[in-house]
């Protein structure tokens, strides 16, 4: 081996070339056109031939040349997931990517994750994709009621789907979670447990699901007879150590809450640490309801009432909607909202 990791035989370097359609054609004894059509699942190619071609392609590690595909078809076969690096830590990102990948597997599309921070301009990654033509479709999250990314991609006719809903009069594909229903049900749960002073740890007010969660909270308080204990400036985007410190101060105050609703599973851990630092006992001094994207909260604190959000299923729905939009399906037909599912560890009673 030389310094570059390439093997030497008799003083000459042996460099493995990238496999091409011509390589597969040679290995299978078929024509290049037949191999190409077999890989595209053309209906006039027999199933046995397709299987033979795919087997050899997999063994060789064949990947289509994206530049060549783009020159021939005008497509990149790339789906871009623009994902905030500020997303919840507890399984959100991996579950979403898994769900999307499950749908894209077996198709011509490849998933490219484009990370960004909402502390910077969220338009930057979208503008880059538009200006470079580097993707056939885009998935975005952290949606705002008036989202400039949605307006721009609509104007530029780039297929996209949002994880969340806007309120700007533009019909577009989306998949969302019904945070209004979740918080409303959470208020009812706490009132049924005899709690009356309830705090809501909500997202930043810039996001659409803040409005949805606040609507559910206010409706629940009005319908079931509770009062709000304000959380101040603390949101689910606040650093976890600050959430913990705030929860401790809140529980040491003269009129602490006896019920807390959390939108974020990782934030809930910080809340529990804060209330216990204040000498309060979960399930005795107060009850807590939390949304979670993976089953973990009840492992550490079975007293928490949990509601599950299937983020992997969200990924599947987003991928299916985007591929349908690329194929020309009307956006009004590509909109879905998932309902809250209460954990079996804490059934609604």
């Amino acid at each position: 081996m030389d310094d570059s990791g390439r093997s030497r035989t008799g003083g000459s370097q042996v460099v493995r070339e990238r496999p091409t359609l011509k390589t597969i054609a040679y290995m299978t004894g078929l024509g290049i056109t037949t191999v190409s059509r077999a890989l595209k699942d053309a209906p006039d190619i027999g199933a046995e031939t397709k299987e033979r071609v795919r087997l050899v392609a997999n063994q060789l590690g064949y990947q289509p040349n994206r530049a060549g595909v783009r020159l021939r078809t005008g497509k990149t076969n790339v789906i871009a997931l623009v994902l905030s690096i500020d997303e919840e830590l507890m399984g959100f990102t991996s579950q979403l990517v898994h769900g999307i990948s499950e749908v894209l597997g077996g198709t011509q599309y490849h998933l490219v994750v484009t990370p960004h921070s909402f502390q910077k301009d969220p338009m930057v990654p979208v503008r880059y994709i538009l200006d470079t033509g580097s993707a056939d479709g885009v998935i975005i999250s952290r949606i705002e009621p008036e989202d400039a990314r949605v307006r721009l991609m609509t104007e530029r006719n780039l297929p996209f789907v949002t994880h969340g809903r806007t309120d700007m009069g533009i019909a577009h594909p989306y998949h969302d979670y019904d945070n209004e229903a979740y918080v409303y049900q959470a208020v009812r749960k706490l009132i049924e447990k005899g709690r009356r002073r309830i705090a809501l740890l909500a997202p930043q007010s810039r996001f659409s699901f803040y409005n949805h969660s606040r609507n559910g909270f206010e409706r629940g308080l009005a319908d079931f007879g509770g009062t709000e204990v304000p959380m101040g400036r603390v949101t689910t985007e606040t650093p976890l150590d600050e959430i913990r410190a705030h929860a401790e101060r809140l529980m040491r105050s003269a009129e602490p809450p006896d019920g807390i609703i959390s939108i974020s599973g990782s934030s809930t851990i910080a809340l529990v640490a804060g209330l216990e630092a204040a000498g309060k006992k979960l399930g005795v001094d107060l009850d807590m309801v939390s949304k979670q994207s993976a089953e973990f909260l009840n492992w550490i604190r079975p007293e928490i009432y949990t509601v599950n959000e299937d983020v992997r299923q969200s990924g599947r729905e987003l991928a299916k909607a985007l591929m349908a939009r690329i194929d020309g399906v009307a956006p009004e037909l590509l909109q879905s909202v998932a309902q809250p599912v209460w954990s079996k560890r804490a059934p609604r009673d």
Side-chain angles (χ1 to χ4, degrees):
M1 299 287 282
D2 64 10
D3 291 340
S4 67
R6 294 177 293 186
S7 63
R8 295 180 179 274
T9 304
S12 62
Q13 295 181 352
V14 178
V15 181
R16 181 180 179 182
E17 296 182 356
R18 174 177 176 171
T20 65
L21 292 176
K22 186 176 181 180
T23 312
I24 301 172
Y26 175 78
M27 297 292 290
T28 58
L30 300 169
I32 293 176
T33 301
T34 301
V35 168
S36 175
R37 293 183 60 75
L39 290 172
K40 294 176 182 176
D41 201 25
D44 60 326
I45 304 296
E48 184 178 340
T49 300
K50 291 178 184 177
E51 182 61 27
R52 180 155 55 107
V53 168
R54 289 170 183 160
L55 179 62
V56 172
N58 289 336
Q59 290 174 338
L60 293 173
Y62 170 78
Q63 292 291 337
N65 186 301
R66 290 184 188 172
V69 171
R70 185 173 178 182
L71 285 172
R72 292 193 305 272
T73 68
K75 297 183 66 177
T76 64
N77 290 344
V78 169
I79 298 298
L81 170 61
V82 181
L83 194 62
S84 170
I85 60 176
D86 307 313
E87 295 282 13
E88 181 180 352
L89 300 176
M90 296 297 179
F92 183 96
T93 299
S94 61
Q95 292 297 319
L96 191 68
V97 170
H98 271 116
I100 296 170
S101 299
E102 286 175 10
V103 173
L104 297 185
T107 75
Q108 72 270 34
Y109 293 107
H110 302 268
L111 179 65
V112 174
V113 178
T114 303
H116 77 101
S117 172
F118 261 87
Q119 304 303 319
K120 300 179 180 179
D121 184 0
M123 294 293 291
V124 170
V126 172
R127 288 197 190 100
Y128 175 82
I129 293 167
L130 283 165
D131 292 344
T132 61
S134 54
D136 296 331
V138 179
I139 301 171
I140 60 174
S141 61
R142 312 285 272 184
I143 305 304
E144 301 181 13
E146 292 284 335
D147 202 301
R149 298 170 298 170
V150 168
R151 190 175 303 281
L152 180 61
M153 288 189 287
T154 301
E155 292 172 351
R156 298 279 290 272
N157 200 32
L158 175 65
F160 69 93
V161 62
T162 63
H163 188 208
R165 288 166 281 174
T166 63
D167 188 21
M168 55 199 302
I170 295 177
H172 63 84
Y174 63 74
H175 178 74
D176 201 2
Y177 179 85
D178 197 338
N179 284 286
E180 181 171 350
Y182 156 60
V183 176
Y184 183 83
Q185 293 173 19
V187 172
R188 180 173 62 189
K189 166 64 67 180
L190 292 173
I191 296 297
E192 288 173 351
K193 299 300 293 183
R195 306 306 185 179
R196 289 293 183 269
R197 295 177 47 77
I198 303 173
L200 171 66
L201 183 62
Q204 287 183 356
S205 59
R206 66 189 292 185
F207 298 122
S208 294
F209 71 128
Y210 167 83
N211 293 335
H212 301 154
S213 59
R214 284 297 310 181
N215 289 343
F217 189 57
E218 292 169 8
R219 283 201 305 114
L221 294 179
D223 288 354
F224 306 123
T227 59
E228 178 178 5
V229 176
M231 288 292 290
R233 296 184 178 182
V234 175
T235 72
T236 54
E237 280 67 46
T238 301
L240 296 182
D241 58 340
E242 295 181 24
I243 293 176
R244 178 190 182 282
H246 181 81
E248 182 177 354
R249 289 193 300 270
L250 187 64
M251 296 310 300
R252 292 184 185 277
S253 66
E255 295 185 318
D258 57 12
I260 299 178
I261 300 169
S262 175
I263 300 292
S264 158
S266 54
S267 298
T268 299
I269 295 176
L271 289 172
V272 171
L275 71 90
E276 291 182 345
K280 304 297 183 180
K281 185 173 177 60
L282 191 63
V284 176
D285 298 300
L286 82 163
D287 282 303
M288 186 177 297
V289 180
S290 180
K291 188 172 68 172
Q292 61 180 1
S293 56
E295 293 276 0
F296 65 92
L297 286 176
N298 295 118
W299 297 348
I300 58 174
R301 289 295 184 276
E303 302 89 351
I304 300 173
Y305 293 92
T306 54
V307 173
N308 298 321
E309 178 180 4
D310 191 339
V311 178
R312 183 173 293 197
Q313 180 61 28
S314 296
R316 297 187 194 105
E317 295 297 328
L318 290 166
K320 289 188 290 186
L322 182 54
M323 288 195 296
R325 183 63 185 138
I326 291 172
D327 290 339
V329 177
E332 296 85 352
L333 302 177
L334 304 172
Q335 300 171 342
S336 58
V337 180
Q339 295 302 307
V341 177
W342 286 76
S343 170
K344 294 180 180 179
R345 288 186 174 86
R348 291 174 60 189
D349 50 24

